[in-house]
Amino acid sequence: MPHFYAECTDNIREEAALPELFSKVNSALAGTGIFPLAGVRSRAIWLDTWQMADGKHDYAFVHMTLKIGAGRSLEDRQKTGEMLFDLIKAHFADLMAKRYLALSFTMEELDPVLNYKQNNVHALFKS
């Protein structure tokens, strides 16, 4: 963990520059020192069917979720959330200046017991 999800309306697929956003997010999360680089994953979920507001304009939205394992302090989670949302707003600033765009971000802490995983990538980064 952490896993970063970006749910995006398909009408901004080209302009959203998600590979660049994911690179920034992954680097920022690893740079906090509280998340292992091998566990960081970012992904897009493109939405081809949606309606926003009154449906009368070419609205777009990106809803992002960061799912993290349990155990980080509220202070660390809040710092991380604020840092990421600042990064997100900066990434989408030009696009927001050109069109109707809604950005939202939430962080979810996963259950400490009912959370199963196996990963051999961590060994690559242990040295």
Side-chain angles (χ1 to χ4, degrees):
M1 300 309 289
H3 292 200
F4 182 78
Y5 298 77
E7 296 175 63
C8 303
T9 56
D10 200 40
N11 60 342
I12 58 170
R13 186 179 285 263
E14 298 304 317
E15 299 91 346
L18 290 187
E20 291 85 355
L21 175 64
F22 294 163
S23 179
K24 295 173 198 173
V25 166
N26 287 21
S27 294
L29 288 170
T32 65
I34 61 174
F35 300 107
L37 178 59
V40 179
R41 293 173 184 82
S42 294
R43 62 185 60 82
I45 302 166
W46 290 105
L47 306 172
D48 64 1
T49 307
W50 76 93
Q51 181 169 331
M52 187 173 163
D54 59 8
K56 293 182 180 181
H57 297 279
D58 187 30
Y59 302 115
F61 68 83
V62 184
H63 174 69
M64 291 144 287
T65 304
L66 180 68
K67 294 185 180 188
I68 63 171
R72 278 96 181 172
S73 70
L74 176 59
E75 180 182 16
D76 282 345
R77 287 180 284 147
Q78 189 169 10
K79 282 182 189 176
T80 299
E82 290 170 1
M83 176 269 300
L84 275 186
F85 197 54
D86 286 344
L87 183 155
I88 289 163
K89 290 185 296 184
H91 179 81
F92 286 105
D94 290 342
L95 186 56
M96 184 166 270
K98 296 175 189 174
R99 63 171 304 120
Y100 293 113
L101 176 64
L103 302 175
S104 56
F105 171 70
T106 188
M107 186 183 304
E108 297 176 6
E109 187 176 43
L110 300 177
D111 188 285
V113 177
L114 302 174
N115 181 8
Y116 309 92
K117 54 189 164 251
Q118 181 177 356
N119 180 340
N120 66 2
V121 179
H122 288 279
L124 178 66
F125 292 96
K126 288 185 179 177
S127 53

